[in-house]
Amino acid sequence: MAAKRPKIIKKDLKRVSVKPNLLNYEKTYRSFSYKKVEKELAWLGKGKLNAAHDAVDKHLNTWRKNKVALYWIGDECDKKYTFLELAQLSNQFANALVEQKIKKEDRVFLFLPRIPELYFSFLGILKTGAIAGTMFAAFGPDAIYDRLHDSGASVVITSPELKPRIDKIRKKLPDLKTVIVTGSVKVNSRKGEVLFNDMMKGQSRNFKTKEMKPKDKAYMLYTSGTTGKPKGVVHTHYDIIHQYMTSKWVLDLQEEDVYWCTADPGWVTGIAYGILGPWANGTSSVVDARRFSAEKWYDTLEKYRVTVWYTAPTAIRMMMKEGSKLAKKFDLSSLRHMCSVGEPLNPEAVYWGLNTMGLVFHDNWWQTETGGILIANYPGMAVKPGSMGKPFPGIKAAIVDEHGKIKKTGKEGNLAIKPGWPSMMIEVWKNPVKYKEYFKNGWYITGDKAKVDKDGYFWFIGRADDVINTAGHRVGPFEVESALVAHPAIAEAGVIGKPDEMFGEIIKAFVSLNKGYKPNDGLKKDIQHFMKRYHAGHAYPKEIEFRDNLPKTRSGKIMRRVLKCQELGLPVGDISTLEDD
Ligand code: AMP
């Protein structure tokens, strides 16, 4: 896996991706103010906007009307959609939703693989003023239930392949009135089910997009913390200003670009930088819906002459594993800028990019709650491999202690952001207490540990809590533990993130068994299968260890920290003094 380090790193790193207009980036934006750039948004009326209009429909008055917005790659065929086609399809879907009596702030969820319908449905939902929720296609019935139940979603759009997972929980979801199934063929149809294509038939291509106030809700995503079930992080239409600006200045999207964001819209990157930000810039985007293979990905880069590529460290490491020889079979010369997000980008991956593609991966940092990139290695900046970069202009980031006091340069602490950037979450769904917990002494506390060096570069250290990041997916240990104890053999479960070269972390579960069950490999496999089936395909424990007892606090809470120390061979300390935290 180790990549050969090029000799003149420093010189090369400074040269890469520097475009003359971006050299003065910091200077230009020193006096950056969102108020000043607000005029770049497409306002619908007095102080009213709609993110879907800003992403797509505003281009219909320009030459971009017939520009390809979406290059879609499937297993069987490739398809193309222009901005005009996306606008019309999303209008038809919005009309169909209104016919279903969907109104402002109703929750309409998407549980779809990356098919074209996902993209125009998302835009259509926003156009009606409803809140779009997305769910990753690897979720099992339990994970889906948590999200649909908590949000009180009234509509979910799914595919024939994924529908059986909704069927399993449908009875327990009284708010869920309609299930829209893609395609034209009914499969085991039930009451309250409609076919996507039937709904679209005869709908007008025109729709009066709902005029929204900037802080009206647009979309929501469920995300994990240390405790409890996942929380609904709600974002507004005004997010688009930050997504637009960062797409322009961090991803460096320009008119002639073909851009590929590899993230799934089940996660925030797939929404902010797979839909809203790039299309607001009028960029042609690639979506490759096929299962990952290094060869297919190189082929996509070559075939579509991708110029800007936004991906994630695990994918980069998986490509590294295949070796540079495979990469050399393809013509990757169209690439001019590469970015990475979601998990720590190890310096080796940066060197590998330089060796293989002649370009540096520009790491950036943000999270579901922030709605957009806040810290970045932007083009024109000397990259320090291993650092997340510097705050985007207009963003104030700092390292603070547990009381929210700024720490000295170089000291480790909590990564914190001054609240008020435009894409900051507006609420945690039905949970104002949780929302409040994010803030301390006037700072938004991110949950990450980091440090800042004397040049103002931020360095990621790890999570401040027990949240696991596996292959860039944020996983809450509580969710996994609750799913594990639903298995008939399991009495208790404690879950940790175990460092892994390829996936950043893997999920490791420690379990004690109910009477009558024997620990063996067959049972391990059965538990893993159960977790994939009912919880989530991406969040099952790759490792399981049977224990007679699990370490607990005096009040009976499992001490994940002790399990982690034991796993890593670190001193556990005096357990008897550990109280609940
Ligand atoms: P999510 O909300 O699912 O997007 O996950 C956000 C979390 O991913 C952050 O709080 C970090 O822990 C991690 N993360 C995101 N970007 C980076 C990065 N560039 N380097 C290290 N960790 C990152």
Side-chain angles (χ1 to χ4, degrees), residues 10-140:
K10 248 194 171 160
K11 183 169 151 263
D12 280 355
L13 291 179
K14 279 197 178 139
R15 174 182 58 78
V16 166
S17 286
V18 176
K19 300 198 81 180
N21 60 332
L22 293 167
L23 274 173
N24 287 329
Y25 172 71
E26 280 188 271
K27 219 189 281 167
T28 313
Y29 277 83
R30 201 162 287 153
S31 57
F32 185 92
S33 134
Y34 284 101
K35 281 277 165 253
K36 277 191 206 158
V37 293
E38 260 187 4
K39 60 180 182 299
E40 294 182 39
L41 287 187
W43 296 98
L44 286 165
K46 256 197 177 161
K48 301 279 180 69
L49 83 168
N50 188 300
H53 176 83
D54 234 298
V56 174
D57 293 47
K58 76 170 179 207
H59 301 299
L60 305 192
N61 303 323
T62 73
W63 69 271
R64 281 186 217 99
K65 180 170 91 180
N66 295 317
K67 180 179 177 179
V68 174
L70 172 62
Y71 289 104
W72 182 82
I73 307 165
D75 286 317
E76 311 288 329
C77 64
D78 294 6
K79 291 181 185 171
K80 285 180 201 169
Y81 295 85
T82 62
F83 281 101
L84 175 63
E85 285 167 327
L86 278 188
Q88 292 183 337
L89 286 162
S90 55
N91 282 347
Q92 285 182 288
F93 190 68
N95 279 314
L97 284 179
V98 170
E99 216 171 79
Q100 297 281 331
K101 309 255 178 310
I102 286 300
K103 49 184 193 326
K104 192 177 168 188
E105 291 211 358
D106 281 350
R107 278 76 61 210
V108 178
F109 268 64
L110 295 149
F111 182 48
L112 286 172
R114 266 178 279 181
I115 55 176
E117 285 89 337
L118 168 54
Y119 295 84
F120 51 81
S121 318
F122 180 86
L123 296 163
I125 298 166
L126 262 54
K127 285 182 174 184
T128 65
I131 302 171
T134 61
M135 294 185 294
F136 188 41
F139 285 151

Side-chain angles (χ1 to χ4, degrees), residues 271-441:
I271 294 178
Y273 299 104
I275 301 180
L276 297 173
W279 282 340
N281 279 279
T283 307
S284 299
S285 276
V286 171
V287 168
D288 188 342
R290 298 171 302 171
R291 225 187 147 77
F292 172 85
S293 101
E295 189 155 5
K296 281 184 197 153
W297 276 33
Y298 286 126
D299 189 57
T300 295
L301 289 168
E302 179 187 89
K303 184 171 174 189
Y304 285 90
R305 308 300 296 152
V306 172
T307 54
V308 180
W309 190 29
Y310 193 21
T311 190
T314 292
I316 298 168
R317 289 189 290 263
M318 283 165 90
M319 294 182 94
M320 284 168 74
K321 196 174 138 207
E322 299 296 322
S324 295
K325 230 182 182 173
L326 179 63
K328 299 279 183 236
K329 281 195 195 159
F330 295 85
D331 177 3
L332 306 175
S333 59
S334 60
L335 277 170
R336 68 166 182 82
H337 189 44
M338 309 197 300
C339 296
S340 166
V341 74
E343 37 171 335
L345 180 67
N346 46 320
E348 289 302 325
V350 178
Y351 301 132
W352 177 81
L354 195 53
N355 275 332
T356 314
M357 281 113 171
L359 294 174
V360 163
F361 280 106
H362 290 66
D363 188 20
N364 54 67
W365 175 96
W366 59 293
Q367 37 179 209
T368 307
E369 294 89 335
T370 73
I373 298 166
L374 296 191
I375 296 176
N377 289 284
Y378 34 85
M381 192 172 127
V383 170
K384 293 193 189 185
S387 161
M388 312 188 284
K390 293 183 182 186
F392 185 72
I395 302 300
K396 191 167 176 207
I399 304 299
V400 303
D401 66 15
E402 61 279 21
H403 308 293
K405 288 248 163 63
I406 296 183
K407 290 185 111 177
K408 280 202 182 120
T409 303
K411 295 271 179 237
E412 285 183 29
N414 300 300
L415 176 60
I417 314 285
K418 240 328 137 207
W421 69 96
S423 59
M424 187 171 105
M425 62 170 168
I426 190 135
E427 69 176 42
V428 174
W429 188 254
K430 289 198 302 202
N431 201 337
V433 174
K434 182 78 212 164
Y435 184 80
K436 244 180 129 186
E437 277 171 23
Y438 278 99
F439 302 92
K440 200 168 274 172
N441 195 28

Side-chain angles (χ1 to χ4, degrees), residues 445-505:
I445 309 293
T446 64
D448 285 347
K449 292 256 180 218
K451 61 183 181 184
V452 59
D453 68 18
K454 60 177 179 15
D455 301 322
Y457 284 71
F458 282 74
W459 299 77
F460 181 82
I461 310 272
R463 283 292 300 189
D465 53 22
D466 296 335
V467 168
I468 300 164
N469 190 333
T470 180
H473 299 133
R474 182 163 154 186
V475 176
F478 178 83
E479 259 189 284
V480 182
E481 287 161 359
S482 321
L484 278 166
V485 293
H487 187 283
I490 298 178
E492 286 178 325
V495 161
I496 61 158
K498 177 178 171 181
D500 182 84
E501 250 203 20
M502 182 64 75
F503 301 107
E505 285 182 323

